[in-house]
Amino acid sequence: GAGVSQSPSNKVTEKGKDVELRCDPISGHTALYWYRQSLGQGLEFLIYFQGNSAPDKSGLPSDRFSAERTGGSVSTLTIQRTQQEDSAVYLCASRDKRGAHTDTQYFGPGTRLTVL
Amino acid sequence: RKEVEQDPGPFNVPEGATVAFNCTYSNSASQSFFWYRQDCRKEPKLLMSVYSSGNEDGRFTAQLNRASQYISLLIRDSKLSDSATYLCVVKGASGTYKYIFGTGTRLKVLA
């Protein structure tokens, strides 16, 4: 079946521009996570969506970062006024909270963001 | 102290060797544990979950030691294709949803 998809796969932008990253989770997965992975670093939690509940935004590094999830499916992560330190791979993961493998996250291929 | 700590390596081992990685975690209430594999410039993929009794999947064996708060991954008969970064992942107490990732241990299997 289809896995988690993300677009674009690569994004190069100039400092100060806004960017929008998209995540399409596995159909039926109610939980969705965004992470950031900088070179040589572990995955850094950004935000968590679960169904219609209020998202946990505690990992967003600044108010330039925002995310939404429309209709409980597709999610977009927006970074305003990008800075060079925003350069990283942005990974999305979804999880099915029902069934036997409720703890397993499935990752998308990521968006590699480069801010010049 | 980091919540999840791993030796970054790299571990360079010859084909056929047995190699073991450890990972320590700080939250004693943690309930779920995983090993993920991440190839260069790719997304993490679940290798195996780690159960209290230990579990094995082919050449891979995972163990959990709650008393000492560490998990381990043993790879037997290493293959060139095992070269990757292995991420230790810990999830908190039941009902929580956050996963804490280690920075990974890099393995290189040499011909």
Side-chain angles (χ1 to χ4, degrees):
Chain A
V4 178
S5 61
Q6 291 186 244
S7 61
S9 54
N10 278 285
K11 177 71 178 178
V12 180
T13 191
E14 293 179 348
K15 179 181 170 181
K17 301 276 190 183
D18 297 351
V19 296
E20 196 172 274
L21 313 180
R22 176 186 166 111
C23 171
D24 221 318
I26 293 172
S27 178
H29 282 196
T30 57
L32 187 148
Y33 299 77
W34 281 98
Y35 295 92
R36 178 169 71 174
Q37 187 174 32
S38 301
L39 190 63
Q41 302 297 311
L43 272 71
E44 175 190 3
F45 167 80
L46 297 178
I47 189 168
Y48 167 74
F49 294 92
Q50 171 51 45
N52 294 321
S53 303
D56 177 351
K57 304 179 181 181
S58 62
L60 295 179
S62 78
D63 59 8
R64 296 186 296 103
F65 288 72
S66 63
E68 62 178 25
R69 189 179 184 192
T70 51
S73 182
V74 172
S75 176
T76 54
L77 176 70
T78 301
I79 309 173
Q80 296 178 306
R81 305 181 302 283
T82 52
Q83 303 295 311
Q84 288 183 331
E85 61 263 27
D86 300 335
S87 297
V89 176
Y90 290 82
L91 290 158
C92 174
S94 71
R95 178 164 73 100
D96 185 358
K97 294 195 73 180
R98 308 154 298 172
H101 302 288
T102 60
D103 274 346
T104 302
Q105 293 184 95
Y106 297 89
F107 283 86
T111 293
R112 184 172 298 275
L113 175 65
T114 304
V115 182
L116 302 176
Chain B
R1 182 186 173 188
K2 290 183 181 177
E3 291 186 75
V4 176
E5 291 202 73
Q6 295 183 250
D7 181 343
F11 284 63
N12 295 321
V13 302
E15 263 188 298
T18 295
V19 61
F21 309 135
N22 281 342
C23 163
T24 58
Y25 60 95
S26 61
N27 185 353
S28 60
S30 299
Q31 290 292 324
S32 303
F33 309 88
F34 311 87
W35 284 103
Y36 274 73
R37 171 192 169 129
Q38 187 172 27
D39 292 287
C40 189
R41 300 177 78 88
K42 297 286 189 181
E43 73 273 24
K45 291 188 177 174
L46 179 68
L47 178 65
M48 55 199 306
S49 302
V50 186
Y51 304 121
S52 296
S53 55
N55 47 303
E56 187 174 310
D57 182 2
R59 298 182 292 107
F60 299 84
T61 301
Q63 296 279 349
L64 167 63
N65 184 318
R66 286 192 184 273
S68 300
Q69 294 181 211
Y70 77 82
I71 66 173
S72 64
L73 177 68
L74 182 78
I75 306 174
R76 290 181 299 278
D77 189 23
S78 301
K79 311 290 185 191
L80 293 175
S81 57
D82 294 334
S83 298
T85 296
Y86 291 83
L87 305 176
C88 172
V89 184
V90 175
K91 185 169 173 278
S94 179
T96 66
Y97 49 80
K98 279 191 180 176
Y99 295 76
I100 309 299
F101 287 75
T103 53
T105 297
R106 190 168 164 215
L107 171 67
K108 191 167 184 181
V109 181
L110 307 170

